[in-house]
Amino acid sequence: MKAVGKQGDWESRTEAKVPAPAEIAGRLGVAEGDLCVRTVYEFLGDGRPVQLSTSWEPYDLTGGTLVVLPEGGPHAGAGVVNRMAAIGVVVSHAVEQPEPRQATADEASLLGIQKSALVTHIRRTYYSDQGRPVETADIVVPAALCEIVYEIPVNPSLQ
């Protein structure tokens, strides 16, 4: 946000022990209905919502630990990689799948855009070094507010 001259902030609400819907279960490699921790975020620019995100983590991974609540406890706001490291899980990579689509009525209302407005929907999943999905999220950004740019490191010694 600083790069574009805006004050960034976020609001979140977390629910523990939420049954995983089928799509989320598939992305997390758990059974449908397995318990998860779901956190819903509204990211703000100068006090206005500019991005939405819903994060899911397997409860069997974080339940009973100090990192069970992403925005609570001693590791609040530390991010997935650092929170998982605090419980001995090494996050090795993430996979993002961006796609354009129209905003849903709820998304449009929260973001202050028209229902038919284009958004970029990004499905992101973080994986441990053992290949286990440790968090998956659905991120929604109004297309008019963002430019998606990826930097891909290349290590020539591995070729």
Side-chain angles (χ1 to χ4, degrees), residues 21-67:
E23 181 191 351
I24 297 301
R27 288 163 48 184
L28 287 174
V30 300
E32 183 176 353
D34 279 4
L35 298 179
C36 292
V37 175
R38 177 179 63 198
T39 304
V40 177
Y41 294 91
E42 287 184 39
F43 292 93
L44 310 170
D46 289 342
R48 293 188 54 222
V50 294
Q51 176 181 312
L52 306 174
S53 179
T54 301
S55 164
W56 297 81
E57 297 176 355
Y59 185 77
D60 72 336
L61 179 63
T62 62
T65 72
L66 293 175
V67 302

Side-chain angles (χ1 to χ4, degrees), residues 60-145:
D60 72 336
L61 179 63
T62 62
T65 72
L66 293 175
V67 302
V68 67
L69 303 175
E71 301 301 327
H75 300 284
V80 175
V81 174
N82 291 327
R83 286 179 43 254
M84 293 298 157
I87 60 170
V89 176
V90 176
V91 175
S92 64
H93 68 286
V95 174
E96 290 191 345
Q97 179 184 0
E99 68 178 352
R101 64 166 172 79
Q102 291 183 320
T104 66
D106 286 343
E107 292 165 348
S109 177
L110 288 168
L111 291 166
I113 59 176
Q114 294 181 355
K115 183 180 178 201
S116 60
L118 288 178
V119 296
T120 301
H121 175 199
I122 303 168
R123 289 177 187 88
R124 180 179 61 208
T125 303
Y126 283 99
Y127 293 87
S128 76
D129 60 350
Q130 303 298 308
R132 179 183 182 174
V134 298
E135 188 256 9
T136 194
D138 288 289
I139 301 161
V140 177
V141 185
L145 294 180

